[in-house]
Amino acid sequence: LIDVDHSPDDPLASVNQDFYSEFGLKQAVRHLNNNGVLALWSYAGNHQLEEAMRRVFRLFDIVPITYENQHVDQSFTDWLFIGQR
C-alpha cells in the first residue's frame, strides 16, 4: 500500500506525477512478486490513473473507503486503486 500524494491531481511534488502514468506503474510493477498487489491511496478518484492501472495490471479494482471524521463531524470517502500483477 502506497500513499504518495493527496491524490494524482493534488501531488505533494511535481516529480511524483509520472508515478500515476502507465510508465510509472510499469516501473512499480517490476518490484512486485508474481501475483503481487499494489494499492494506491487517494482522497479523490482519478480516471487517468484508473485507465493506466487497467492497462498495466492483470486484475484491477477501485475500493471506496468511507469514514467519519469525528474532529469535523463529517464523513469522507477516500479511494484505494488496487492492481494485481
Side-chain angles (χ1 to χ4, degrees):
L1 173 62
I2 299 175
D3 177 5
V4 179
D5 295 304
H6 301 303
S7 79
D9 293 324
D10 188 8
L12 296 172
S14 61
V15 297
N16 295 345
Q17 206 57 42
D18 282 347
F19 182 76
Y20 302 103
S21 70
E22 188 172 342
F23 172 79
L25 292 171
K26 285 180 179 178
Q27 299 301 309
V29 165
R30 295 181 333 163
H31 298 279
L32 297 177
N33 293 327
N34 289 340
N35 296 318
V37 174
L38 175 71
L40 300 173
W41 172 89
S42 175
Y43 74 51
N46 184 281
H47 183 71
Q48 291 83 8
L49 175 59
E50 178 181 343
E51 291 303 313
M53 289 192 76
R54 286 189 194 284
R55 289 189 298 270
V56 171
F57 290 95
R58 182 175 56 86
L59 298 173
F60 170 72
D61 199 8
I62 301 173
V63 178
I65 307 294
T66 302
Y67 59 94
E68 294 288 327
N69 184 325
Q70 63 192 17
H71 300 289
V72 294
D73 196 29
Q74 186 177 356
S75 66
F76 295 89
T77 299
D78 292 344
W79 303 92
L80 288 179
F81 294 81
I82 303 171
Q84 183 174 9
R85 183 172 181 180

